Structure formats: structure tokens, C-alpha cells
């Protein structure tokens, strides 16, 4: 049985922490809007706007620690680039659960992998905390923090002050809103949410560019699966449903966490659900060999009508245990993932072709921001600089995969230096040029920085490095909002 909370990272082992774990050993320190020091290089003239990143900032209260990385309280970094330079702000999301636990100075709620404290007969009544820690969506008048188990939180774009939950004009208290919305070329926003039950429901949403939900649809699913991301490809939405199903009763009764109740059941295979984008009607259900994924990269409809998408793919669900171990500061489980490309027939849901694009540990595939045909657009992602690098280490490099040449370009940040998911930003003066931004933790100096790369010259290293006032714990996802938005 999973304990309610784990001992602190500093008392659970007498061994020294690996360099990457120092970034999460203590709760993050907030800072107000502060001018930032440029350590090297210069901010490009074509880079004006705001970078936002979201991730678990607090994994510990007192001497107790959460049991899964996904359960840390969300904290958002904002870095604003103007003609005067760069200014940054870092704040926790003031969710209702965060405020309650802050006042009590102890854990009170259950999470994805952590049970509420107290005896079993009290846990089944414990509320589930909205951690608000996974991603961000920048709208014209507000920033949303996304966490797929509930509704978004509304933050001020400049100060990151929390203004409570946001129902987008249509979400009810039982609705969830995923961490990976997609924008269509016309500006509309597509997303989904899972309503938990013995046989879950997949809710689909289409919102206008300001976030207001205009269209909804419900699709019944088999069992209670784990779906984190989806594909927007031409006229279709594609959902890959991995063979992970929840044994809900132990989780509901407080005997196990939701994470521990998720079972890998490869006999089900991976289901592929293709949905017509305009009507939200299901076009096809397909099934293929079992795999698991968190994130997709490029997605497009090819000239022959087939759908093509990239996916960071795992052979099983051991990645969940890997991510739980991150919170402990000691990784013991190997979870190899590779970047694959899938081609499928939307009318049948059957895979026509699949191939490995990058055969080394990688994640967080991000599509180029340049106006270029999707089949030629480069993909940026986090990866290990060497194939034989220990699996106990987090990613230490950013890569660019060029589909036109099948070449992988790597920007190695160095040993004990850990870049976050890359964010691609189109230059405001030259649409054919883009910049790659990453928040980097230097485990030697115990310092966080923002690094800016030239998208076409990754291997040359960062063109600008900017110091941040405090250490930013490893985060999940971010976004960019241009100054003109």
C-alpha cells in the first residue's frame, strides 16, 4: 500500500543527491516582477513577448513529501521580453487546496499518486486537490494554468496573480480540461477532458480565440483509460488510447492512489479514435499493438488523405514509475522512449506505416513556429546527449529533427545542466527565423537561467543566457505569447 506521504528527500537517504535532484530538494522560492541580468550575449531584436512555464514548485511540506512528481503544487514562471530588456516573476498558483495546506502547514488532500494523510476510513472522503501544475494557455486577457483533473485557474498575464477557477463559459464542476489544447489555423482552440466513471466519457471542446467554449461533444470510452494529449491533423482530431485502465474501487475507497490503481493491460492494444474536427463525430475506431505515450509532436493530413503524426512512444507504462521516482530524487526504473512517426487511414483508424525517427531517450516534441508545410517543419525536443547516458539522469540536451534530411542536431547543455522542454518562437521581424527558449537548471552552480538558441544553429549553443533570481524546479510545459497578441 502506498503511504500517504513520503519522508523528505533529505531524510530518505544518506547518499548525496544527484545534481538534477537539487532543483526539487526544497520548495521553490517565489519572486516578484524583477529585472533580469543578462549573463552572456544579447536578447534578439525579434524576440518580444512573454515566456510562461508551469510545473510542480512545492513537493514537500515540513518533513513530508509527495509520492509522485505530478502532485507538486503548481508554480508559474513568467519572463517578459521588451525593448528595455527582460523581467521575470515566479508565483505559486493560489488554488483552494494550496491555500488550505499553506494555512495548515501540512498536506490535507489526495493527488494523482499521493494519498491524503490520516487513517483509511477518512481517506475515501478526502478531496482531490487541483494541483494546477501541468501547462499554461495564454489568452488575450488572461493566462490559464492547466491540470487535466479539473478546471483551469485564471492568472494575470503580467503579475501572475491568481483569480480563481475559470469555467470558459461552459465547464461544470465535474468537467475536466486537458493540459494540451491545440490551436487551429483560424485561431479556434480544441481540447478535451475525461469524466471518470466505470466507463469514462471523453468530452471534446472547441473554443474561440478568447477561450470561450463554443462547441461540445461527448464520446463514451471503454473502462477508465489515461489520455494526456491528442493530435490535430487537418480535418481530424486523433486520440490514441493506450492500454492503461484504472481499477477504480481501491482508489475511490482510499486504499491506493490513482497512480497505483492504473494497470498496464497490453491485451487491449492501443485504440485509435479518429474524430471529424468540424462536427465532432467519430469517423473510425482502430486498434494496434500496445504502446504508451504522453505527448505528440507534428500532426498533419498528407496529400493522399492519410494522417501523419509524431509521438514520443514507450513500450509499456513503466514511465509512470520513473516519474514517481523523480520526486524522491533517486531514479531506479528505466523507461526508454523514442520518437516515432505514424501514418494512418482516417476512415478505418488503421495504421498504414510506422517508423522510429529518433532512437534515443527523448520527450516533449514541439513543432516549429515557422510558416512552413507540416511535412517539412522541424521538430524540437528534449533528449539525452548520448545514447548510453545513464537512465538515472534527466535530459541534458535539446535536439532538432529535420524531416527533410532525417538529421538530428543536438545542443548539449553539458553535464549536470538540465534544459526544460524547448519552446519555439517565430521572430517578429523575419517569419522564416525562429528562436528556441528553455529554462535551464545548472546543477553545479545551483542556479536557473533562461537560454535562447537560434533555431537554425542549435549546435552553436545559446546566443543569450539570462539569470533568474531563484532556482526554478524542473517544470512540465510552457508557452509563448507575442507582444502583439
Amino acid at each position: 500500500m502506498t503511504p500517504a506521504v513520503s519522508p523528505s528527500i533529505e531524510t530518505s537517504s544518506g547518499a548525496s543527491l544527484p545534481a538534477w535532484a537539487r532543483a526539487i530538494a526544497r520548495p521553490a522560492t517565489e519572486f516578484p516582477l524583477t529585472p533580469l541580468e543578462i549573463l552572456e550575449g544579447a536578447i534578439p531584436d525579434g524576440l518580444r513577448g512573454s515566456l510562461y512555464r508551469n510545473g510542480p514548485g512545492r513537493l514537500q511540506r515540513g518533513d513530508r513529501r509527495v509520492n509522485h512528481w505530478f502532485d507538486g503544487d503548481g508554480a508559474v514562471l513568467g519572463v517578459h521580453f521588451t525593448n528595455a530588456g527582460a523581467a521575470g516573476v515566479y508565483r505559486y498558483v493560489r488554488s483552494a487546496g494550496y491555500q488550505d495546506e499553506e494555512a495548515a502547514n501540512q498536506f490535507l488532500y489526495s493527488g494523482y499518486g499521493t494519498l491524503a494523510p490520516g487513517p483509511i476510513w477518512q481517506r475515501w472522503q478526502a478531496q482531490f486537490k487541483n494541483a494546477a501544475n501541468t501547462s499554461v494557455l495564454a489568452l488575450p486577457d488572461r493566462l490559464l494554468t492547466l491540470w487535466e483533473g479539473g478546471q483551469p485557474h485564471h492568472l494575470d498575464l503580467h503579475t501572475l496573480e491568481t483569480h480563481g477557477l475559470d469555467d470558459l463559459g461552459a465547464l461544470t464542476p465535474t468537467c475536466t480540461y486537458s493540459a494540451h489544447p491545440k490551436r487551429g489555423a483560424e485561431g479556434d482552440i480544441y481540447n478535451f477532458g475525461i469524466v471518470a466513471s466505470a466507463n469514462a466519457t471523453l468530452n471534446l471542446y472547441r473554443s474561440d480565440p478568447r477561450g470561450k467554449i463554443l462547441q461540445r461533444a461527448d464520446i463514451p470510452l471503454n473502462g477508465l483509460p489515461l489520455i494526456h494529449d491528442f493530435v490535430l491533423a487537418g480535418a481530424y482530431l486523433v486520440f490514441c488510447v493506450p492500454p492503461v485502465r484504472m481499477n477504480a474501487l481501491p482508489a475511490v475507497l482510499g486504499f491506493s492512489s490513482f497512480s497505483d490503481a492504473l494497470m498496464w493491460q497490453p491485451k487491449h492494444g492501443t485504440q485509435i479514435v479518429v474524430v471529424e474536427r468540424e462536427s465532432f463525430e467519430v469517423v473510425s475506431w482502430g486498434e494496434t499493438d500496445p504502446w504508451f505515450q504522453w505527448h505528440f509532436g507534428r500532426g498533419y493530413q498528407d496529400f493522399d488523405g492519410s494522417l501523419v503524426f509524431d509521438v514520443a512512444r514507450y513500450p509499456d507504462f513503466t514511465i509512470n514509475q520513473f516519474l514517481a521516482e523523480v520526486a524522491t530524487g533517486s531514479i531506479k526504473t528505466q523507461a526508454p522512449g523514442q520518437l516515432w512517426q505514424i501514418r494512418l487511414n482516417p476512415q478505418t483508424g488503421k495504421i498504414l506505416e510506422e517508423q522510429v525517427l529518433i532512437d534515443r531517450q527523448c520527450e516533449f516534441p514541439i513543432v516549429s513556429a515557422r510558416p512552413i508545410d507540416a511535412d517539412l517543419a522541424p521538430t524540437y525536443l528534449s533528449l539525452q546527449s548520448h545514447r548510453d547516458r545513464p537512465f538515472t539522469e534527466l535530459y541534458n540536451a535539446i535536439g532538432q529533427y529535420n524531416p527533410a534530411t532525417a538529421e538530428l542536431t543536438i545542443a548539449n547543455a553539458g553535464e549536470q545542466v538540465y534544459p526544460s522542454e524547448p519552446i519555439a518562437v517565430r521572430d517578429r521581424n523575419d517569419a522564416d527565423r525562429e528562436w528556441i527558449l528553455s529554462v535551464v537548471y545548472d546543477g553545479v552552480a545551483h542556479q536557473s537561467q533562461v537560454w535562447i538558441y537560434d533555431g537554425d544553429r542549435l549546435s552553436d549553443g545559446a546566443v543569450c543566457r539570462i539569470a533568474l533570481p531563484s532556482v526554478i524546479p524542473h517544470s512540465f510545459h510552457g508557452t509563448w505569447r507575442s507582444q502583439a497578441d
Side-chain angles (χ1 to χ4, degrees):
M1 183 183 300
T2 301
V5 285
S6 296
S8 74
I9 195 171
E10 296 174 282
T11 61
S12 61
S13 173
S16 60
L17 294 175
W20 62 264
R22 298 171 199 155
I24 59 170
R26 298 177 181 273
T29 301
E30 297 178 305
F31 54 85
L33 195 62
T34 305
L36 301 180
E37 177 189 2
I38 297 177
L39 301 174
E40 181 181 356
I43 299 171
D45 290 337
L47 193 66
R48 297 292 183 270
S50 297
L51 170 70
Y52 301 101
R53 288 207 61 84
N54 191 4
R58 174 182 282 277
L59 300 173
Q60 184 172 326
R61 285 193 178 275
D63 62 351
R64 308 307 295 177
R65 198 165 179 84
V66 297
N67 290 317
H68 201 289
W69 194 16
F70 290 178
D71 289 336
D73 288 305
V76 178
L77 171 69
V79 180
H80 308 303
F81 296 89
T82 67
N83 291 337
V89 55
Y90 186 59
R91 299 190 69 175
Y92 285 101
V93 181
R94 263 63 176 183
S95 67
Y98 174 88
Q99 294 182 76
D100 289 345
E101 292 182 338
E102 189 78 351
N105 195 28
Q106 63 178 323
F107 289 116
L108 302 173
Y109 299 99
S110 292
Y112 171 79
T114 306
L115 293 171
I120 291 177
W121 58 85
Q122 292 181 355
R123 285 187 206 148
W124 71 273
Q125 295 179 315
Q127 296 182 11
F128 203 65
K129 182 174 65 176
N130 184 331
N133 67 5
T134 310
S135 190
V136 278
L137 174 62
L139 299 173
D141 61 346
R142 63 200 190 279
L143 182 73
L144 299 184
T145 61
L146 307 180
W147 176 77
E148 59 203 36
Q151 294 182 10
H153 281 79
H154 165 190
L155 271 60
D156 182 274
L157 284 164
H158 193 62
T159 66
L160 303 186
E161 179 183 357
T162 304
H163 294 288
L165 293 172
D166 194 322
D167 66 6
L168 305 180
L171 298 175
T172 68
T174 60
C175 289
T176 63
Y177 194 78
S178 168
H180 289 286
K182 314 290 184 187
R183 293 183 188 266
E186 71 289 346
D188 280 2
I189 302 167
Y190 295 84
N191 205 356
F192 73 96
I194 299 291
V195 177
S197 63
N199 287 299
T201 299
L202 177 68
N203 288 344
L204 304 181
Y205 312 112
R206 180 177 66 86
S207 304
D208 67 18
R210 300 187 67 84
K212 182 180 180 180
I213 293 176
L214 305 175
Q215 182 181 2
R216 284 189 52 175
D218 302 332
I219 299 174
L221 299 173
N222 298 319
L224 182 50
L226 177 60
I227 306 175
H228 180 71
D229 194 3
F230 72 109
V231 180
L232 174 61
Y236 301 95
L237 311 178
V238 181
F239 295 86
C240 295
V241 185
V244 173
R245 298 293 184 273
M246 180 178 289
N247 182 9
L249 187 60
V252 170
L253 294 178
F255 289 105
S256 74
S257 70
F258 282 89
S259 175
D260 288 342
L262 289 168
M263 303 289 106
W264 176 249
Q265 299 178 347
K267 64 181 180 181
H268 293 300
T270 290
Q271 298 173 349
I272 299 177
V273 186
V274 181
V275 178
E276 205 279 326
R277 174 177 167 184
E278 183 174 342
S279 67
F280 278 173
E281 293 182 358
V282 175
V283 177
S284 62
W285 288 78
E287 187 173 317
T288 186
D289 295 336
W291 81 69
F292 181 79
Q293 84 285 322
W294 294 112
H295 304 115
F296 297 97
R298 293 181 306 157
Y300 62 94
Q301 189 166 8
D302 214 348
F303 67 93
D304 61 358
S306 62
L307 305 183
V308 181
F309 60 86
D310 298 345
V311 55
R313 175 169 154 175
Y314 300 87
D316 53 36
F317 194 45
T318 54
I319 182 62
N320 190 51
Q321 178 61 28
F322 175 97
L323 295 169
E325 291 169 1
V326 168
T328 72
S330 176
I331 297 172
K332 300 176 182 178
T333 299
Q334 188 168 5
Q338 300 172 321
L339 187 69
W340 286 64
Q341 184 176 89
I342 308 293
R343 181 182 295 271
L344 64 87
N345 182 334
Q347 301 305 316
T348 64
K350 291 184 177 180
I351 291 180
L352 304 174
E353 182 182 359
E354 56 184 4
Q355 60 175 321
V356 177
L357 300 181
I358 299 178
D359 63 350
R360 70 177 68 195
Q361 186 76 24
C362 59
E363 250 296 357
F364 304 121
I366 299 296
V367 183
S368 171
R370 285 179 270 201
I372 186 173
D373 290 341
D375 60 330
L376 300 176
T379 292
Y380 301 92
L381 70 172
S382 300
L383 44 69
Q384 301 289 17
S385 58
H386 304 288
R387 287 187 180 87
D388 58 353
R389 194 163 183 264
F391 68 85
T392 55
E393 281 286 325
L394 297 188
Y395 301 115
N396 74 329
I398 288 173
Q400 183 208 66
Y401 177 79
N402 186 336
T405 62
E407 293 179 343
L408 176 65
T409 301
I410 296 176
N412 186 352
E415 287 304 312
Q416 300 188 25
V417 181
Y418 308 93
S420 65
E421 166 202 53
I423 301 295
V425 180
R426 187 191 305 183
D427 188 286
R428 66 172 182 162
N429 301 321
D430 183 355
D432 293 325
R433 191 174 195 182
E434 66 186 340
W435 306 99
I436 307 303
L437 278 61
S438 179
V439 176
V440 177
Y441 172 65
D442 184 335
V444 177
H446 190 52
Q447 181 186 44
S448 291
Q449 303 172 10
V450 176
W451 290 11
I452 304 170
Y453 294 87
D454 185 327
D456 288 329
R457 296 177 175 84
L458 274 186
S459 58
D460 290 348
V463 300
C464 182
R465 302 173 194 249
I466 303 170
L468 293 170
S470 66
V471 168
I472 306 299
H474 307 294
S475 56
F476 294 139
H477 299 293
T479 193
W480 172 262
R481 180 178 183 267
S482 66
Q483 197 172 62
D485 288 348

